Amino acid sequence: MIKGKFTKFLLASTLFTGILAGCSAGGSSTSGGSSEDVIKIGVNFELSGPVASYGQSNAKGVELAVEEINEAGGIDGKKIELVKVDNKSEASEATNAAIKLTSQDKVTAIIGASTSGNTVAQAQIANDTKTVLLTPSGTSPNVTVNEDGSVNEFVFRTSFIDPFQGTVAANFAAGELKAKNAAIFADNASDYAKGLAASFKETFEAAGGKIVAEESYVAKDTDFRSTLTRIKSENPDFIFIPGYYEEVGLIVKQAREMGITVPLMGGDGWDSPKLVELAGAEALNNTFITNHYSAEDPDETIQNFVKTFKEKNDGAAPDAFNGLGYDSVYLLKDAIERAGSTDSTKIKDALADTKNLRLVTGEVTIDENHHPIKTTTVLEYKDGKTVFKTKVNP
Amino acid sequence: MEWVQQLINGISLGSIYALIALGYTMVYGIIKLINFAHGDVFMVGSFIGFYAITGFGLGFVPALLLSMAACAVFGVLIERIAYKRLRNATRIAALITAIGVSLLIEYGVIYVRGAQPEAYPNVFPNATFDLFGAKISSQSLFILLISVGLMIILQFIVHRTKIGKAMRAVSHDIDAARLMGINVDRTISATFAIGSALAGAAGVIFGIYYTKIEPLMGIIPGLKAFIAAVLGGIGIIPGAMVGGLVLGVAETVVSALGFSLWRDAAAFIILILILIFKPSGIFGKNSREKV
């Protein structure tokens, strides 16, 4: 009896929600009849939740770019209108937000999400609704390329992909630092670090170098001395340490204490003020990272961006996520202008044809896998501060 | 040379395990309770030391003493609030309570200050010494000296003082001790105070040696110290020291052979083996007591 009642209740409530949903969809479609002089762009970021700092940084960059473009008269005379949603750092929320943006708000393109996982969650919707999806900072290769090797037609990214950083680091080690024997000490718990380590090894060996030690650690470890002792006994003249700042900070400190003085290098996972606190400024001397860009880069485009960003944000220097968010808007603007239309399919084709577009985080050419081929910046730590070292082209 | 270095690495790690294991073993020896919250007292001690150094600008020794004193009080409070009324309850009830207390401390600290890690300030001059070609930092030397010093003091307290005598008596037979006029409650409090003070000291030393501290840092060292205590023979003070050192060196050897990913697994394999083949531990006599 109770069971029966419950089923009825469930049925009734499901029906009711259905009606509600119908109503809200109907309501928005009337208001969604957008006027022709506005380009609606959805922004789907991690504005709250565990990785909120990435999403918020991206969003600030996006907003700055839109403000600039609108002040300068918009794209072909049309102003950009942002529709901002928060995916709460959750894949399911990211999907819901993408459904809302494409069906209710009928946006021309979506910028987001900040992380690879939350972007992949929207990929299917972007392809089905033929809406361009552009992630500023999702670095995993499988954001744009599916497991079977097919490319997600409508999905693009502004950042370089993970393995690329390993390649750049290997070229830098072999070329600029003249390293012959390198060791790799990678975080075994992260795909990011494993991707970097694999591409580093491949490129370094191709350049004639030798990998003398390959060791791994697990995130949350605190004692790296025994493994470092082992690495030291192999006498490498360069150590590649892909991983995140929490462990890397300790590794760098402990390595220097053990008397390892050779150059150490890692990827953008090192980029955090916490790294300097953990390792100590002195231990970080003679270490290098690959990153999306450097605020100290003398390049004019970058310096203009840094200046306007500081003006709008109380003097705070823009980080890589700000730069990538900013660039995403300009990448889209360029594609819309070349497409000469706000039709998503045409924008998609134009995006895929992007060549040598000068942006803050590098000069971008989109390849057939929708990965941007772009310059990477190599930074050096000097007394706890990152110093622009060089730019490396792929 | 590599092996001398590895031995030093192992002993430094082991002496931290030993310091935590001493507290486990003392409490177990007296009230037969595996105090799973002990690792979290270690964490709290580490944070007290951190705030004492960064906030009040204290030097290393005052910070260490402050942390030990605060942890002693904290340990006694935990015993009074959570364990005392369960003294005659089943041992499983007390064990579950200990796990609850552990979680309460961990997430209490996260609630108060957030989960982000903190970098320990560098209070030692960063000198390194050469020993047969191996590098010893001044830090690891200090850590070793302090650990050994604390262990000697502990041995002295247990064997040469009145409260130590009372502890040994209570540990031997709680009811007989009470009949002999020993204040059992006070003795148990003293045990918690001393054990927790050692955990606090280990926390500060850990912070200085490994730099990074965070609210969940007590879990793994706590488990390792528990393994060390069981390995040496739980309830036996020299056993905890030897167990800690053996475990530290064993883990280092595993990493040194190139199996760094197996390090934690190796520690637990040691635990399983010791429980199968000699549950009373290295120093234990055969008895029917099992952990």
Side-chain angles (χ1 to χ4, degrees), chain A residues 188 216-218 222-223 225-227 229-230 232-233 246-247 250 253-254 257-259 274 277-278, chain B residues 2 5-6 9 13 117-119 128 135 139 206 208-212 252 255-258 260-261 263:
Chain A
N188 192 50
S216 353
Y217 62 90
V218 192
T222 48
D223 187 300
R225 288 182 173 88
S226 42
T227 314
T229 305
R230 195 177 149 81
K232 192 189 170 196
S233 68
E246 271 194 38
E247 286 82 23
L250 305 188
K253 177 173 185 271
Q254 292 175 13
E257 277 172 11
M258 321 246 19
K274 259 295 180 276
E277 273 182 50
L278 288 170
Chain B
E2 192 191 334
Q5 182 79 64
Q6 294 290 22
N9 296 340
L13 178 66
E118 215 68 69
T128 43
K135 301 260 185 226
Q139 293 178 353
F206 181 93
I208 284 169
Y209 194 50
Y210 291 115
T211 320
K212 189 183 77 172
T252 308
S255 298
L257 292 174
S260 54
L261 299 177
R263 192 153 120 162

Side-chain angles (χ1 to χ4, degrees), chain A residues 10 26 49 58 74 85 90 192 246 249 327 338 342 346 382 386:
Chain A
L10 209 75
N58 273 164
V85 283
E90 278 173 29
Y192 159 77
E246 271 194 38
D327 278 358
R338 278 188 292 112
T342 51
K346 283 183 186 156
K382 279 212 172 110
T386 48

Side-chain angles (χ1 to χ4, degrees), chain B residues 20 23-28 31-41 75 78-79 82-83 94-95 97-99 101-102 105 191-192 195-196 222 226 234:
Chain B
I20 313 175
Y24 263 107
T25 263
M26 286 174 71
V27 168
Y28 184 86
I31 54 170
K32 303 279 177 279
L33 165 71
I34 295 170
N35 180 12
F36 269 117
H38 194 67
D40 302 296
V41 174
I78 293 174
E79 198 271 331
Y83 302 146
L95 181 73
T97 306
I99 294 171
V101 170
S102 160
I105 300 173
T191 311
F192 269 89
S196 303
F226 167 68
I234 193 154

Side-chain angles (χ1 to χ4, degrees), chain A residues 64 67-68 71 307-316:
Chain A
L64 177 63
E67 219 177 298
E68 275 181 17
E71 271 170 26
K307 202 169 137 254
T308 34
F309 189 90
K310 279 184 175 170
E311 278 165 13
K312 304 266 181 208
N313 291 285
D314 305 322

